[in-house]
Amino acid sequence: MSRVNAEIMEGLNAYFQVARDIGAAKDALGLPHYDASRESAMLDELLSTNPGPMPDDLLRRIFNEIFRSSVDVMDRAGQTRMRVSRVAGGPGRTVMVGNVRLGGGAPPEIIAGPCAVEGEDMLEATAARLAGHGVRLLRGGAFKPRTSPYSFQGLGAPGLSMLRRAADAHGMAVVTEVVSDGDVELVARHADMLQVGTRNMYNYALLKALGRAGRPVLLKRSFMATMDEFLWAAEYIATSGNEDIVLCERGIRTFERATRNTLDLAAVALLKQATPLPVVVDLSHSLGRKDIVAPMAAAALAAGADGLMFEAHYRPSVALCDCDQQLDPGETDALIAYVRGLIPFLGAARGAA
Ligand code: PEP
Ligand code: MN
């Protein structure tokens, strides 16, 4: 059997070498890699000459797999590893947002600000308060992906300018969402980091455009995504030319209604093993409530999070969206003080950097 295995392996390697050469030749001619009629002709030829004892349906299954794999080999031109996967024992990736380091063993950062940019004064008041605590990453939506088309959709371009002014006034960097590939250039002109929202994690045109944006990306996990799908979304951005990606766990939809979503902290620990990319946790959209942000912040940091995101508003009761989860100034002060107090004790509790 060992001899036959060796012959099969030799044959398969010869096959994939030919597949690679054909892939390169097709690339040179601009032809697609997959050719259904050629594959079905090859399969018919094999079936008509199968001497047995291998049954035809098994032959069909095995060669289908070989044909599919050969297209994979052509498509990936010899690249067998995801760009976003961690080489065992390899270092974490540091992503620079303006002059702020995220990941790669840097102390956890805080990303905070209102859900949406609603006006200059509110943004300025919130940014000033956060900057006073040493928070260096200001968030806020100028383009808001709302579930209802009748809900506040954000201020758009004027909101971006407000974000830029407030951040510049306080030495902060801007993190804000881009909802469509057509807006990437505009948002990249104002922001230091481009956010992909949970509803857009599967928007492959947007992910590809972000590969060419020249700005780091904060990729939020879809509330429906498995970890694999999340990593494949990151791979889209990476393979389109941008490996400065920060993953954001923001809760997934489960049957539980006590929190807005279910914060998947196991995913944080597992993502830290699976990829060198920094991972941050959005406490606001995962929980949808404020009374447990402190323990969940501690848990997120213990799980290895490189940063925490939360929504902060100078007066949440009048906010145009997410009133129940935005922290008021007093709550913001308390959470930041709590998180800062934890940081010196994190070392031993955390796994991979
Ligand atoms: C946000 O962070 O502003 C936001 C809309 O979050 P999510 O996409 O996770 O719902
Ligand atoms: Mn929000």
Side-chain angles (χ1 to χ4, degrees):
M1 196 50 99
S2 295
R3 182 182 53 78
V4 179
N5 284 342
E7 282 168 16
I8 292 173
M9 186 163 74
E10 196 181 324
L12 285 173
N13 276 311
Y15 183 94
F16 285 109
Q17 185 56 56
V18 173
R20 253 192 216 187
D21 295 346
I22 292 175
K26 284 185 167 177
D27 286 343
L29 296 168
L31 294 173
H33 290 157
Y34 180 62
D35 180 346
S37 54
R38 171 77 183 123
E39 300 214 340
S40 93
M42 286 197 297
L43 197 56
D44 287 347
E45 191 184 326
L46 285 161
L47 287 167
S48 70
T49 56
N50 178 18
M54 176 168 48
D56 279 356
D57 62 335
L58 186 54
L59 181 145
R60 200 176 281 113
R61 260 202 291 144
I62 290 173
F63 274 90
N64 269 332
E65 188 55 49
I66 293 173
F67 293 164
R68 245 200 318 272
S69 305
S70 79
V71 175
D72 269 1
V73 165
M74 292 186 216
D75 287 351
R76 292 161 75 180
Q79 195 201 320
T80 52
R81 207 176 62 75
M82 280 173 87
R83 288 171 200 270
V84 299
S85 65
R86 192 188 269 266
V87 182
R93 184 177 180 84
T94 300
V95 173
M96 295 302 298
V97 183
N99 57 15
V100 179
R101 278 180 66 195
L102 269 175
E109 284 290 334
I110 291 173
I111 306 169
C115 177
V117 178
E118 296 160 353
E120 193 103 44
D121 295 350
M122 62 76 76
L123 190 60
E124 164 54 33
T126 308
R129 186 116 187 170
L130 291 167
H133 287 294
V135 174
R136 300 184 291 170
L137 299 170
L138 178 66
R139 64 144 285 143
F143 292 95
K144 293 302 297 176
R146 304 303 301 283
T147 302
S148 158
Y150 306 115
S151 300
F152 176 57
Q153 303 283 308
L155 297 178
L160 295 175
S161 308
M162 290 177 199
L163 271 169
R164 187 71 268 160
R165 280 195 292 276
D168 287 347
H170 298 286
M172 302 172 89
V174 169
V175 181
T176 194
E177 179 159 354
V178 54
V179 295
S180 82
D181 50 320
D183 291 338
V184 167
E185 255 187 70
L186 168 70
V187 181
R189 254 184 275 132
H190 295 82
D192 300 286
M193 176 177 238
L194 307 185
Q195 177 174 320
V196 177
T198 194
R199 296 161 183 80
N200 261 324
M201 190 207 84
Y202 295 106
N203 181 341
Y204 300 118
L206 176 60
L207 301 180
K208 287 182 193 173
L210 287 166
R212 305 180 291 270
R215 288 273 183 269
V217 175
L218 182 70
L219 177 65
K220 290 190 133 193
R221 180 183 185 179
S222 159
F223 56 82
M224 302 281 284
T226 63
M227 277 181 43
D228 270 354
E229 290 167 331
F230 191 17
L231 287 170
W232 280 119
E235 186 76 2
Y236 259 98
I237 301 170
T239 203
S240 306
N242 185 358
E243 298 197 15
D244 285 332
I245 305 161
V246 174
L247 302 175
C248 179
E249 160 59 31
R250 50 78 68 208
I252 50 176
R253 183 169 284 177
T254 69
F255 51 80
E256 182 54 67
R257 302 265 48 94
T259 51
R260 181 172 174 180
N261 290 283
T262 295
L263 177 53
D264 185 4
L265 288 180
V268 174
L270 289 169
L271 287 167
K272 292 296 298 175
Q273 288 178 7
T275 170
L277 301 177
V279 179
V280 304
V281 167
D282 176 344
L283 296 164
S284 299
H285 294 91
S286 53
L287 303 175
R289 55 192 292 168
K290 306 198 269 192
D291 51 345
I292 54 171
V293 285
M296 298 320 290
L301 293 176
D306 297 290
L308 299 173
M309 177 189 263
F310 61 87
E311 290 183 336
H313 194 283
Y314 79 122
R315 223 172 132 199
S317 56
V318 300
L320 289 173
C321 42
D322 289 351
C323 307
D324 296 338
Q325 68 192 33
Q326 303 208 56
L327 302 191
D328 69 24
E331 293 161 340
T332 300
D333 297 351
L335 181 64
I336 295 173
Y338 177 70
V339 168
R340 294 256 193 266
L342 288 174
I343 291 175
F345 303 100
L346 286 176
R350 290 154 67 92

